[in-house]
Amino acid sequence: MSNYHIKHLEEYYQVYRKSIREPENFWEEVAEEHFMWRKKWDTVLSWDFSKPEVKWFEGAQLNITENCIDRHLTTRGDKTAILFEPNSPDEPAEHISYKQLHTRVNKFANVLKAKGIKKGDRVCIYLPMIPELAISVLACARIGAIHSVVFAGFSSTALATRINDSDCKMVITSDGSYRGAKTIDLKSIVDDALEDCPGIDSVLVAKRIHSEIAMKAGRDEWLQPLLDEASSVCEAEIMNAEDPLFILYTSGSTGKPKGMVHTTGGYMVYTAYTFKNVFQYRENDVYWCTADIGWITGHSYIVYGPLANGATSVMFEGVPSYPDFGRFWEIVEKHKVTQFYTAPTAIRALAKEGVDLIEKRDLSSLKVLGSVGEPINEEAWHWYNDNVGKKNSPIVDTWWQTETGGIMISPIPFVTPTKPTYATLPFIGIQPALMDEAGEELKGNQVEGRLCIKFPWPSMARTIWKNHERYKDTYFSAYENKYFTGDGALRDEVGYYRITGRVDDVIIVSGHNLGTAPIEDAINEHPAVSESAVVGFPHDIKGNALYGYVILKDTGESRDQNNVRKEINQMITEHIGPIAKLDKIQFTVGLPKTRSGKIMRRILRKIACKDVSNLGDTSTLLDPEVVQEIIDNAL
Ligand code: WTA
C-alpha cells in the first residue's frame, strides 16, 4: 500500500525516506492505486539532467479529465466540483456538480473539435475567473489540445507575444470582466493583440458583462449558442503520459517570457498527491484557493489537483477588497470553507484593515491555512495565524514555482510542526540541495545557499516551448546535474528550509514574478528615454515594489518630469500590464557599470533600499562618481 495520505510525523519521515531510496517504486505505487490509466507505463522514470531529459510513466496512456471528472461520476456525481462565487456578493453562487462539469466540459470539447482544434494544437485562454475558464482548460485537456492560459491582467502586447510564441490557433475570451467595482473590456484587448497574431483563425467569446462589443465576422463567435448545439458526449482523447498538457508562461530574468511545458501523467500524479497531503483534504471539505487560474497555483490547486481528488474547489471571480475588505471572510463563512490558500500580499493588505471585519464572521469551519507566491514575513504569518486561524489552523507555507508544477517544500498540516517564515521540510520525493558560490553542495544544517533540486519529481516542467536550449541554460547549467531554482534558501538546525528570495533578476511583486529586462525594454520604448535599470525594494503590502533608474535623452527640450513618469508607467502598462508599474522613478545622468558595461544592480538595489552603508568597492566602475550622484538624488 502506498501512503497516499500521511497522518503523522513519523509516517512522513518513513514515507519520505522510501520516496528517496526507491523513488520509482514509490511513485509507481501512488500512480497505480489512485488514478485511472488506459494503459500502464513501461518505465516509471528515465532521466538525464545533462540533456536535460526527464520522462515519467513512459508508455502509459490516460486522459487527465477522466481522472478529474469521469471517475467521480458514480460516487460523487452530485457533489459540487466547482463552487463559483461571483464578483458581486448579490449574485448567487453557482454550484457545478461533477455531473454538470462532465456535461459542460464535453460540450465545450465538442465545440473546440468543430472549430478544427485537434490533439497537439495550442489554444490560448484569456478569460476572467468565471466557470468557462476552468471548463475550457478541461475541454482542451479532454481532446488533447495544449492550453496556454494567459492571465487576464496582461496587456494586449503581452498577450500577442504569448500567442505567437506558441503558435496558438484559437483564443477563448469573454466580452469583459468584473473586478470589484470596475468592468474591464477584455475583448478589445484581444482585438488589439490579434492585429499582430496572424495564426489565430477563431475567437470564442463568453458573455459575462453583456456589453456591446465588436465581433469580427468570420473570426469571432459567441460561445453560448455553440455550446447549446453541441453534443454532451465527447470521448476523451487517449494521451501518452509524456504528451504536453499545457504551456504556461513565466517571466525570465532576460528576454521573452518562458513557455513552460508541463506533461500529463506525472503532473497529474504529483499535483493530486500534494493536494491531498498539503491540505489534508477530506471528503466533504470545501477548499478555496484565491489565486487566479492564469497562474500555476490556479492550474495545479484550483483545477487539476483538487478535481483529481474529487474535491469541491471554490473559484472566486472578485477581489479581496470588494465590496469591502471583509469579502474573503464573508465567503469563508457562507461556504463553510475548510482550507483557505492565499498569498502573503493579500494577507498584508487585509491585516492593514484591522480585525473588525473578521470578527463579524464565523470562521470556525477553517482547518488549514495556506500561503504561496513569496516569502511570508513574520508579522503577516502571526496575523494570519492569530486572527484567521485563531491559532487552531496550521499554516502551510508552500514553496514552489511555475516550473515545478506542484508544491515542493511545505509543512504537512497536523504532521509537521510549523515555524513562522519557514516552508519547513521537503515534500515527499523532493531532494533539495543548497549550493555555495563555488558550486559545492553545502552539507549539514545551519547553512545558507542557492536552492537546487537533485532528483527529478513527476510534475517538473520538461522544457521551454520550442526553446530547449534556454531551458537547459536557465535551469541546468549553473550546477552540474541539478535543477537550479533561482531562489536562495537557508536550512536551520533541524533541517527546516526558509526561502530567502530570488537570487536572479526576477522580482516578485504582490506574488507575481516580473523580470527586470522586459520592464526595462518597455521603459526604453519611451522616446525620451535613453537607458534604464529596474530593481526591487521592500514594500509593506506588495512585498517588493519596483524602482526605476532612468536616463533621459538630452534633446534640449525641457520636460515635466512628472509627466514623463506617468508616460513611462503608461508604456509599461501597454507592454506588460499594470502589475509591472514602477512605484518610484529616479531620473539620473548615468548608471553604475562595470568596465565591461554590465549594470551593477547590486548597488542600485542598495540605494533603492536606502542602505548605502556598505556598497562595496565602487572604484573599479566605469564612472565611480555616478554612484554619489544617484545617492544624492535618491527618492
Ligand atoms: C517565490 C508560484 C517564498 C519563489 C507557485 C519562487 C516563494 C517564485 C514561495 C515562483 C514561498 C513561491 N516562500 N517564496 N512559499 N512560493 N515563492 O512561478 O521566489 O509564480 O521561485 O510560482 O515565487 O513563482 P511562480
Side-chain angles (χ1 to χ4, degrees):
M1 259 299 277
S2 71
N3 299 80
Y4 191 66
H5 193 174
I6 294 158
K7 297 185 200 65
H8 51 83
L9 194 59
E10 207 28 61
E11 193 182 5
Y12 160 80
Y13 281 113
Q14 192 194 332
V15 177
Y16 182 75
R17 278 193 294 269
K18 174 169 175 182
S19 75
I20 302 308
R21 281 194 202 127
E22 317 162 36
E24 298 174 25
N25 290 339
F26 175 78
W27 289 112
E28 177 160 48
E29 282 175 27
V30 172
E32 210 148 37
E33 286 172 30
H34 301 282
F35 300 91
M36 182 178 153
W37 302 88
R38 291 296 191 111
K39 175 178 171 285
K40 294 275 163 77
W41 42 92
D42 305 316
T43 324
V44 178
L45 169 67
S46 58
W47 67 291
D48 178 349
F49 274 178
S50 71
K51 287 186 175 164
E53 187 177 274
V54 173
K55 291 181 176 163
W56 283 91
F57 309 114
E58 232 202 328
Q61 293 183 329
L62 74 154
N63 185 288
I64 196 167
T65 69
E66 291 190 324
N67 283 273
C68 288
I69 309 173
D70 302 54
R71 67 176 169 138
H72 305 309
L73 293 177
T74 46
T75 50
R76 303 185 175 106
D78 295 319
K79 178 177 174 178
T80 301
I82 292 176
L83 202 174
F84 173 62
E85 172 68 27
N87 178 63
S88 162
D90 302 328
E91 188 181 331
E94 189 183 345
H95 293 252
I96 303 171
S97 69
Y98 275 93
K99 268 190 204 146
Q100 291 164 332
L101 184 63
H102 185 250
T103 305
R104 290 176 70 171
V105 167
N106 282 350
K107 278 177 165 274
F108 207 128
N110 281 325
V111 169
L112 297 178
K113 274 188 174 169
K115 292 266 127 207
I117 301 295
K118 305 178 303 298
K119 177 174 175 175
D121 287 346
R122 274 79 59 207
V123 173
C124 173
I125 303 176
Y126 186 72
L127 278 170
M129 282 286 284
I130 56 176
E132 284 78 2
L133 173 49
I135 291 166
S136 58
V137 158
L138 292 162
C140 287
R142 186 80 174 173
I143 64 168
I146 302 170
H147 55 79
S148 168
V149 182
V150 176
F151 172 61
F154 276 118
S155 71
S156 57
T157 317
L159 174 61
T161 309
R162 288 159 175 76
I163 288 172
N164 290 332
D165 183 71
S166 47
D167 299 313
C168 292
K169 283 176 85 170
M170 173 192 268
V171 178
I172 303 171
T173 188
S174 65
D175 52 355
S177 68
Y178 293 121
R179 234 184 124 65
K182 288 191 280 193
T183 53
I184 294 160
D185 184 5
L186 278 194
K187 175 63 166 49
S188 71
I189 300 176
V190 172
D191 290 340
D192 286 350
L194 295 190
E195 305 253 314
D196 301 317
C197 300
I200 296 293
D201 309 324
S202 84
V203 177
L204 300 181
V205 188
K207 243 187 195 141
R208 177 58 182 145
I209 64 168
H210 299 269
S211 56
E212 282 286 319
I213 56 164
M215 295 289 277
K216 185 171 170 186
R219 188 194 72 183
D220 304 350
E221 266 179 286
W222 290 106
L223 183 61
Q224 197 55 51
L226 300 175
L227 290 171
D228 292 341
E229 293 293 301
S231 153
S232 56
V233 181
C234 178
E235 282 297 312
E237 186 78 32
I238 307 297
M239 305 298 286
N240 291 322
E242 281 297 334
D243 280 340
L245 174 63
F246 65 86
I247 299 169
L248 186 61
Y249 286 88
T250 188
S251 307
S253 40
T254 54
K256 284 197 302 186
K258 299 171 286 190
M260 304 312 306
V261 178
H262 282 282
T263 59
T264 309
Y267 176 82
M268 170 182 78
V269 169
Y270 193 78
T271 54
Y273 183 67
T274 45
F275 174 76
K276 178 79 179 166
N277 285 289
V278 172
F279 299 102
Q280 290 285 311
Y281 180 82
R282 312 236 170 185
E283 200 66 42
N284 303 324
D285 282 351
V286 176
Y287 161 88
W288 179 21
C289 165
T290 70
D292 192 291
I293 294 176
W295 309 114
I296 192 67
T297 307
H299 280 61
S300 301
Y301 299 110
I302 295 178
V303 182
Y304 289 114
L307 298 181
N309 283 282
T312 297
S313 181
V314 175
M315 194 177 161
F316 176 44
E317 181 184 27
V319 293
S321 54
Y322 180 78
D324 61 34
F325 279 94
R327 187 67 193 280
F328 275 2
W329 322 126
E330 185 240 341
I331 297 172
V332 169
E333 178 183 79
K334 176 165 154 197
H335 298 302
K336 301 195 168 46
V337 171
T338 45
Q339 287 92 353
F340 177 71
Y341 191 27
T342 196
T345 185
I347 298 167
R348 289 188 295 263
L350 293 167
K352 218 172 134 230
E353 300 301 315
V355 293
D356 295 358
L357 291 163
I358 294 197
E359 280 165 1
K360 270 175 49 188
R361 300 292 175 183
D362 175 8
L363 305 186
S364 60
S365 55
L366 288 172
K367 297 193 287 193
V368 176
L369 303 178
S371 172
V372 62
E374 57 184 313
I376 179 166
N377 51 306
E378 190 138 4
E379 211 183 333
W381 195 98
H382 283 295
W383 187 87
Y384 199 26
N385 188 46
D386 296 353
N387 299 299
V388 183
K390 322 282 183 207
K391 298 196 165 95
N392 249 331
S393 302
I395 295 177
V396 290
D397 177 1
T398 63
W399 172 83
W400 58 296
Q401 311 177 292
T402 305
E403 295 86 338
T404 69
I407 293 167
M408 303 289 281
I409 303 183
S410 169
I412 295 177
F414 312 105
V415 171
T416 320
T418 59
K419 176 173 175 183
T421 76
Y422 281 75
T424 74
L425 296 171
F427 191 73
I428 305 301
I430 303 306
Q431 303 188 35
L434 296 179
M435 311 299 291
D436 68 13
E437 302 271 319
E440 291 301 315
E441 182 174 349
L442 295 158
K443 304 277 183 176
N445 289 338
Q446 288 189 293
V447 289
E448 178 166 358
R450 298 183 166 209
L451 179 60
C452 290
I453 313 289
K454 293 195 274 196
F455 194 85
W457 63 100
S459 67
M460 63 190 293
R462 303 296 195 256
T463 190
I464 292 175
W465 183 258
K466 283 201 317 211
N467 203 343
H468 198 65
E469 268 312 297
R470 187 172 180 200
Y471 177 67
K472 182 176 173 174
D473 285 352
T474 312
Y475 304 107
F476 295 90
S477 305
Y479 304 99
E480 202 183 345
N481 259 322
K482 289 179 185 67
Y483 166 81
F484 173 48
T485 64
D487 283 316
L490 61 83
R491 192 162 51 222
D492 76 357
E493 63 287 353
V494 298
Y496 274 18
Y497 288 84
R498 176 187 193 178
I499 311 303
T500 50
R502 301 290 310 186
V503 294
D504 56 7
D505 289 328
V506 170
I507 304 172
I508 309 213
V509 178
S510 299
H512 304 317
N513 286 9
L514 298 171
T516 50
I519 303 174
E520 289 161 7
D521 290 345
I523 300 171
N524 298 347
E525 291 281 315
H526 190 290
V529 172
S530 79
E531 202 181 353
S532 61
V534 171
V535 297
F537 69 100
H539 184 280
D540 282 357
I541 291 178
K542 299 197 261 192
N544 291 298
L546 300 173
Y547 193 120
Y549 297 89
V550 174
I551 306 178
L552 293 178
K553 286 180 189 154
D554 184 10
T555 55
E557 298 162 47
S558 70
R559 288 191 203 91
D560 177 340
Q561 295 207 333
N562 278 334
N563 272 348
V564 180
R565 286 196 175 93
K566 271 192 209 131
E567 288 160 12
I568 286 174
N569 269 332
Q570 190 52 38
M571 226 67 206
I572 294 173
T573 305
E574 275 164 32
H575 281 80
I576 302 165
I579 48 177
K581 283 205 278 198
L582 307 178
D583 271 48
K584 291 187 183 176
I585 300 176
Q586 176 177 350
F587 295 109
T588 170
V589 293
L591 292 168
K593 287 187 183 169
T594 60
R595 284 176 198 273
S596 60
K598 201 170 169 290
I599 298 175
M600 296 288 287
R601 288 167 194 283
R602 186 180 53 80
I603 294 176
L604 294 175
R605 233 175 277 149
K606 288 206 144 194
I607 299 173
C609 296
K610 299 196 175 356
D611 166 21
V612 291
S613 55
N614 184 15
L615 291 181
D617 181 13
T618 55
S619 63
T620 57
L621 293 176
L622 209 51
D623 180 6
E625 288 77 51
V626 83
V627 174
Q628 195 55 47
E629 202 265 354
I630 294 176
I631 294 173
D632 291 344
N633 294 304
L635 302 170

